[in-house]
Structure formats: C-alpha cells, structure tokens
Amino acid sequence: MRRTTSVLLSLSALLAASALTVPTAVAAPGADRPAAVPAGWEAVDATALARITGEKDARRAPLAAGDAATAADEPELLAVQSVRNDRFVATEKNYAEPNTGAQRARSTEFGGSWESYAFEWDETTQTYALRSLANNRYVAVEKNYTGSAQNVLRARSTSAGGWERFVLYYNETLDRWALQSTLNGLFVTMENGYTGSLQYALRARSAEVTGSWEQFVLYDIGA
C-alpha cells in the first residue's frame, strides 16, 4: 500500500520549541526488563505524546485550525501501523474465545473503530493503557497462554492493571515507536511469520528492539 506521511514530527525540534523535557526515568516494567532503555529510544509521557501527535494534521481527522492539542489528562486517539508489514493493528472482536479481541496488524488501511485506540496515561506508574475503541476493552498481555500464543495481546479487560500497562518509546531518528509490557518487561512484536487466525498477531516477547518487528508508526485520529 502507499505509505501515508506520519503525523509525527522530530521530537527534538518539538521539545526545543516548547522547552519540554521528556522524563528519563519511568517505572520499571518488571524483574526481567532489559537492563537499559534501547539506544536511541526515549520514554514518552502524555504531555510529549499530545504535542507530537497534535503538531501536524491527523491522518483521518485533523484538528480544526486554531484548536489546541489534546490535554495531557485526556487520552490520545491513535491508529497503530506495523513497520514490518505496513498494516494497521485491528481488534478481532468477532474471534471466539480464547482469542476474542486478539490484536493483529492485518488491515491494509485505517477503517474506523476496529483500528482505533485510546492511549490512556497513568501518572503514578508512568505507563499507558491501550483501550480498543472496537470493543471498549483494555489490551492485556496473555502471559499464561502457552505455545505460539504466549504473551499475545488481547483487548479483553474492563479495567487496567499490571497486565494492561505499557511503556511507550519514541525514536527520533527513525520516527518510530515501540511498546514495552510492564508485565514481563518485553517489547511488543508483530508476528509476520505466523499463519492462520493469529497471522500478524502482536506479542510481548522481544527482549530488545531489534528492527521493524518491534517498530510501529502512530497516527492521530482524534477530532
């Protein structure tokens, strides 16, 4: 598909213009978290995310001229695109259990609520919860699943706890994003090599960001 222009600007330029400093310390995701933040990546809080996604026109629903960026205490409405296969992440709300709400990068274009997420910031833990607009459920990491489905992401929770918390990272040079689960300390990966109903499934299973498998583009879809 033809790539659309990312709504995200250079983080350094934005921070310089606003005198905003992204916090360098965030809550530790877990005991098996990688020893250090990946080189070239910065943890992003709600204020920085709002500025980055609000500075340019949104992919689908741009802010009206003169409108301010979304306030830090309001969730950012975003679409998530895998860098690996250039597809948008969708919530499979029609899947039967135990895969109801599975997260898959399978949509060739942004179509609406199936590919829409509210990124809700928690100041206390310095983490995000991702609420799917397809079924109004929070995305959880299925740590207790086994085999190829272990640590798969599913929008199935009515509230956000440890299973539903993520640290969001941004790479200025690449203009890309990564998500790290606080449950197991691992980064979210798009399983490009999977087949069947979990083809392109998202799983929190990488100890570091090694390449496009763990990288995503975010698009502002908020009105």
Side-chain angles (χ1 to χ4, degrees):
M1 65 177 278
R2 181 177 62 85
R3 287 292 295 271
T4 56
T5 302
S6 168
V7 300
L8 308 178
L9 296 178
S10 166
L11 183 59
S12 61
L14 288 173
L15 300 188
S18 62
L20 172 67
T21 302
V22 175
T24 57
V26 297
D32 50 350
R33 167 187 183 161
V37 174
W41 297 80
E42 294 180 276
V44 174
D45 69 1
T47 302
L49 179 61
R51 287 183 179 277
I52 296 167
T53 58
E55 285 291 337
K56 292 184 69 177
D57 285 346
R59 177 182 181 277
R60 180 179 173 89
L63 292 169
D67 279 0
T70 305
D73 60 351
E74 297 176 354
E76 290 293 305
L77 301 183
L78 304 170
V80 182
Q81 184 183 40
S82 167
V83 173
R84 180 65 180 179
N85 70 354
D86 210 32
R87 298 193 178 202
F88 289 92
V89 176
T91 295
E92 301 292 2
K93 66 177 183 178
N94 292 338
Y95 272 23
E97 291 290 352
N99 293 325
T100 306
Q103 303 296 293
R104 294 204 303 135
R106 54 83 165 161
S107 299
T108 56
E109 59 186 27
F110 174 76
S113 64
W114 289 68
E115 295 86 20
S116 299
Y117 299 86
F119 278 58
E120 299 182 2
W121 173 253
D122 181 70
E123 185 68 29
T124 301
T125 62
Q126 298 282 289
T127 61
Y128 288 91
L130 278 59
R131 178 169 52 85
S132 168
L133 302 192
N135 63 1
N136 204 35
R137 299 292 181 96
Y138 290 96
V139 175
V141 174
E142 299 293 3
K143 186 178 181 179
N144 292 339
Y145 278 20
T146 59
S148 60
Q150 187 176 37
N151 297 325
V152 71
L153 270 59
R154 285 206 306 143
R156 53 82 164 165
S157 301
T158 57
S159 61
W163 294 62
E164 295 82 20
R165 290 289 168 190
F166 299 88
V167 177
L168 180 64
Y169 291 95
Y170 180 66
N171 187 302
E172 173 191 352
T173 302
L174 299 176
D175 192 20
R176 294 173 180 174
W177 301 79
L179 285 164
Q180 185 183 34
S181 167
T182 66
L183 180 65
N184 63 8
L186 301 178
F187 289 93
V188 174
T189 297
M190 192 282 291
E191 299 295 0
N192 193 60
Y194 275 23
T195 58
S197 62
L198 288 181
Q199 186 179 36
Y200 308 140
L202 269 57
R203 290 203 304 141
R205 58 86 165 162
S206 293
E208 57 187 30
V209 181
T210 59
S212 61
W213 293 71
E214 297 88 14
Q215 296 173 9
F216 299 90
V217 178
L218 299 183
Y219 294 90
D220 186 353
I221 59 172

